[in-house]
């Protein structure tokens, strides 16, 4: 017999989604308004202890695989792809821990986002991400936020961002030195080649620990008696009364029963597809809802480090980035790409029987491109199509502009130049991954200064025209970015959470 869970009848703040931005709201409220009652609802299951932890921290590979499979949403568990090689072969498949849209990902005459993917689990995509937390630069920055740098500092604090997790990587300095020789000239110090800021740290025993929502929540939230987390709980509607939020309708996926939870404030912190989905399903449909959707086209390449000595038997050999570290080529307006360079998971790769590769000397290079923003790039919903949860299914309309195509070609030339600087090229040409591969979808609930139909929320992430309703996640970012968006999204969540905390403690 399924145990009946108790949902609070009323709370001060209800949070939809348990990824890093939803967790940031819970953390800031626990720190600044500890008397406030906060309930978080997640459609997926709890897959780790503590809840929200990164699956890479699960030592047992079988247990890790079970956690990934449990994150892959409703319906059948399909084939998974872990590397660009499978994408080259034309395989349309999600990475472990994620699932794709069944349909509606592209329409005739459009490019679409054929591998747009999501996760359903406590912690959201932060249980599966790479942990990269670069800061935006140049036109990536949100110019109308004067406190952006302080907010980014808070984002770093909540995510546990470090730059020294791979300082012991034997080839890291070599990679950065060679990249810097062809990149750094004329750049200010902040935009030069450097270690990638990562949501990761080393334990005293040397083990690498990756941050997930567990780190963002922190001990203060877990110890907060006024905070509750409900997994396998589908929020089907935001309830409104007189132009203000009144609470949520929540379906317990274990029992199928629907409950009403009253709330003074509601934060919808799902992903860039499911946040607009819930607002649309609730009849909350600002003109910009779902529009300005943007992904980061991604070009990848590989090179073998030249002139490196074989490592000793005691060198780290535990997988991704342990030899070459993770290096960052920051975005600039003159070179509008974000570069991420790290060891390939597959190394060592023998190129020929008589040419063994030094372990760890195969590095993967990736350049992410900023999208040309268009209102017509959008996710829409209707009453005819539903997803595996019975919610309005996302239908994506998305086109690359001439500017986008030119930028991708420029990135392809640039990544060859970077590869040649690092070592010997392993392929005749770079590969452009299928659209949606970045998992960095943004803009669908974008922030703006005025309610002029081009934004969904104000600088505090409050949805225009609906008192007490906030949105969070990558969808809130209003600029075209090439860098990984998580720390920026968490920074914006901090601003919104502080606003709610001020209102609650007046």
């Amino acid at each position: 017999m399924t145990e009946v869970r108790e949902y609070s009848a009323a709370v001060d703040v209800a949070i939809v989604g348990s990824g890093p931005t939803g967790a940031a709201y819970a953390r800031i409220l626990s720190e600044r308004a500890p008397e406030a009652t906060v309930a978080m609802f997640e459609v997926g299951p709890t897959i780790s202890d503590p809840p929200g932890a990164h699956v890479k921290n699960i030592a047992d590979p079988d247990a890790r695989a079970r956690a990934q499979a449990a994150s892959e949403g409703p319906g059948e568990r399909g084939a998974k792809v872990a590397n660009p090689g499978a994408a080259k072969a034309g395989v349309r498949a999600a990475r472990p821990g994620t699932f794709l849209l069944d349909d509606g990902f592209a329409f005739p005459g459009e490019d679409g986002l054929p591998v747009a993917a999501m996760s359903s689990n406590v912690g959201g995509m932060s249980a599966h991400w790479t942990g990269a937390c670069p800061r935006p630069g140049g036109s990536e920055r949100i110019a109308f936020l004067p406190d952006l740098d302080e907010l980014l500092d808070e984002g770093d604090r909540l995510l546990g961002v470090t730059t020294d997790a791979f300082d012991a990587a034997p080839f890291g300095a070599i990679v950065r030195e060679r990249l810097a020789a062809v990149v750094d000239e004329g750049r200010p110090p902040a935009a030069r080649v450097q270690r990638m800021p990562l949501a990761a740290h080393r334990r005293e025993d040397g083990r690498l620990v990756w941050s997930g929502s567990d780190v963002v929540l922190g001990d203060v939230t877990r110890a907060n008696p006024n905070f509750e987390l409900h997994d396998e709980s589908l929020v089907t509607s935001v309830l409104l009364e007189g132009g203000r939020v009144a609470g949520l309708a929540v379906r317990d996926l274990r029992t199928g029963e629907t409950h009403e939870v009253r709330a003074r404030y509601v934060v919808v912190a799902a992903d860039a597809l499911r946040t607009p989905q819930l607002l649309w399903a609730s009849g909350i449909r600002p003109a910009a809802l779902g529009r300005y959707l943007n992904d980061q086209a991604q070009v990848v390449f590989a090179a073998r480090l030249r002139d490196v000595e074989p490592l000793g038997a005691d060198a780290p050999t535990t997988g991704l980035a342990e030899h070459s570290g993770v290096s960052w080529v920051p975005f600039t307006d003159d070179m509008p790409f974000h570069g991420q360079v790290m060891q390939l998971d597959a190394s060592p790769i023998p190129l020929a029987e008589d040419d063994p590769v030094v372990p760890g000397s195969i590095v993967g290079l990736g350049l992410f491109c900023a999208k040309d923003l268009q209102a017509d790039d959008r996710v829409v919903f209707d009453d005819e199509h539903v997803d595996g949860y019975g919610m309005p299914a996302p239908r994506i309309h998305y086109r690359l502009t001439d500017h986008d195509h030119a930028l991708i070609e420029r990135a392809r030339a640039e990544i060859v130049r970077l590869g040649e600087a690092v070592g010997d090229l392993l392929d005749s040409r770079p590969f452009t991954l299928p659209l949606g591969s970045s998992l960095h979808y943004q803009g669908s609930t974008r922030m703006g200064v005025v309610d002029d139909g081009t934004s969904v929320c104000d600088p505090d992430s409050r949805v225009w025209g609906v008192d007490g309703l906030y949105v969070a996640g990558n969808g809130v970012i209003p600029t075209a970015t090439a860098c990984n968006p998580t720390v920026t999204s968490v920074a914006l969540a901090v601003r919104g959470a502080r606003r709610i905390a001020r209102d609650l403690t007046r």
Side-chain angles (χ1 to χ4, degrees):
M1 183 175 179
T2 303
E3 181 181 352
V4 177
R5 285 188 290 184
E6 292 292 332
Y7 294 93
S8 294
V11 295
D12 291 310
V13 184
I15 302 171
V16 184
S18 62
T21 57
Y25 271 85
R27 171 74 170 270
I28 296 299
L29 290 168
S30 293
E31 292 176 342
R32 296 195 170 207
E35 299 304 315
T37 52
V38 180
M40 176 180 285
F41 302 91
E42 167 59 51
V43 69
T46 300
I47 61 169
S48 63
D49 184 15
H54 201 297
V55 298
K56 284 196 285 192
N57 298 334
I58 302 174
D60 179 69
D62 292 334
R64 187 184 317 122
R66 288 193 296 271
Q68 290 170 326
S71 306
E72 292 167 6
E76 297 294 324
R77 301 291 189 260
K80 296 295 162 183
V81 57
N83 57 68
K88 283 186 179 182
V91 176
R92 181 181 176 266
R95 280 167 273 189
T98 72
F99 61 99
L100 304 178
L101 297 178
D102 291 332
D103 54 19
F105 50 82
F107 289 89
E110 301 178 0
D111 297 291
L113 293 178
V115 292
M118 298 169 280
S119 293
S120 289
N121 53 271
V122 173
M125 199 68 81
S126 75
H128 313 283
W129 67 320
T130 65
C133 289
R135 293 194 175 195
S139 59
E140 294 182 306
R141 292 174 59 85
I142 305 169
F144 57 77
L145 294 183
D147 54 349
L148 180 60
D149 287 320
E150 187 271 330
L151 294 171
L152 290 167
D153 288 342
E154 272 289 85
D156 284 349
R157 176 180 76 93
L158 298 186
L159 286 161
V161 174
T162 67
T163 58
D164 60 1
F166 291 109
D167 276 1
F171 298 143
I174 294 172
V175 169
R176 287 188 290 275
E177 179 182 347
R178 294 178 181 180
L179 289 171
V182 298
V183 169
D184 282 358
E185 185 177 355
R187 288 185 170 218
R192 294 173 186 165
V193 174
Q194 56 197 272
R195 297 170 178 84
M196 178 68 75
L198 293 169
H201 68 276
R202 292 278 176 188
R203 299 192 323 190
E204 290 185 1
D205 63 5
R207 181 182 172 188
L208 185 64
V209 180
W210 296 89
S211 298
S213 287
D214 63 321
V215 171
V216 181
L217 290 169
D219 291 338
V220 66
T221 309
R222 284 186 287 271
N224 182 357
N226 293 319
F227 171 72
E228 56 191 53
L229 168 61
H230 299 287
D231 64 0
E232 299 182 82
S233 297
L234 172 67
V235 175
T236 58
S237 182
V238 176
L239 305 178
L240 304 177
E241 289 179 1
R244 180 175 178 84
V245 296
L248 301 172
V250 185
R251 183 185 305 146
D252 185 342
L253 295 184
R254 299 179 189 174
T255 66
E257 296 181 357
T258 297
H259 303 262
E260 182 177 300
V261 177
R262 307 288 290 182
R264 296 170 60 188
Y265 298 90
V266 169
V267 181
V268 184
D271 53 46
L273 300 182
R274 287 181 286 186
T275 291
Q277 176 191 56
L278 179 57
L279 267 59
W280 193 92
S282 305
I284 302 166
R285 302 173 183 178
L289 185 69
R291 292 188 176 273
Y292 301 96
L293 177 67
N294 64 99
D295 174 42
Q296 298 167 351
Q298 187 177 357
V299 178
V300 296
F301 208 30
R304 177 179 61 174
L305 293 174
R306 70 173 73 89
D307 304 324
V308 293
E309 295 295 325
L311 301 174
D314 59 345
T317 57
T318 55
L320 179 63
E322 289 291 314
H323 294 88
S324 302
V326 184
S327 298
W328 175 29
V329 181
F331 170 98
T332 68
D333 291 330
D334 291 332
M335 196 177 95
F337 318 114
H338 157 72
Q340 190 165 316
V341 183
M342 63 183 71
Q343 176 193 320
L344 286 183
D345 240 351
S347 106
I349 304 171
L351 301 185
E353 290 185 3
D354 59 348
D355 186 17
V357 173
V358 174
S361 66
I362 304 294
V363 296
L365 300 94
L367 287 182
F368 296 79
C369 305
K371 178 74 171 70
D372 191 11
L373 299 186
Q374 305 180 102
D376 284 343
D377 290 330
R378 64 200 188 278
V379 54
V380 300
F381 309 92
D382 58 42
D383 294 323
E384 296 182 13
H385 303 89
V386 296
D387 64 14
Y389 295 109
M391 296 290 288
R395 324 295 288 173
I396 293 175
H397 295 277
Y398 195 81
R399 292 184 178 92
L400 296 180
T401 67
D402 290 343
H403 179 269
D404 292 326
H405 284 293
L407 192 61
I408 292 170
E409 286 306 308
R410 186 179 167 194
R412 290 171 63 86
E414 180 64 21
I415 205 170
V416 170
R417 189 174 78 95
L418 298 182
E420 289 173 339
V422 167
D424 301 320
L425 305 184
L426 296 187
D427 205 341
S428 60
R429 57 183 181 174
F431 179 65
T432 303
L433 292 176
L435 295 178
S437 296
S438 79
L439 307 180
H440 297 165
Y441 325 123
Q442 301 167 62
S444 56
T445 53
R446 71 201 303 251
M447 176 182 286
V449 178
V450 295
D451 183 10
D452 60 0
T454 66
S455 61
V456 171
C457 65
D458 73 5
D460 286 332
S461 299
R462 299 178 298 178
V463 174
W464 299 114
V466 184
D467 289 344
L469 178 60
Y470 289 67
V471 285
N474 294 342
V476 176
I477 298 174
T479 54
T481 72
C483 71
N484 310 63
T486 303
V487 72
T488 302
S489 296
V490 170
L492 301 182
V494 167
R495 199 175 209 267
R498 288 175 175 175
R499 177 58 185 257
I500 294 176
R502 288 198 302 271
D503 291 345
L504 286 171
T505 54
R506 281 176 180 170

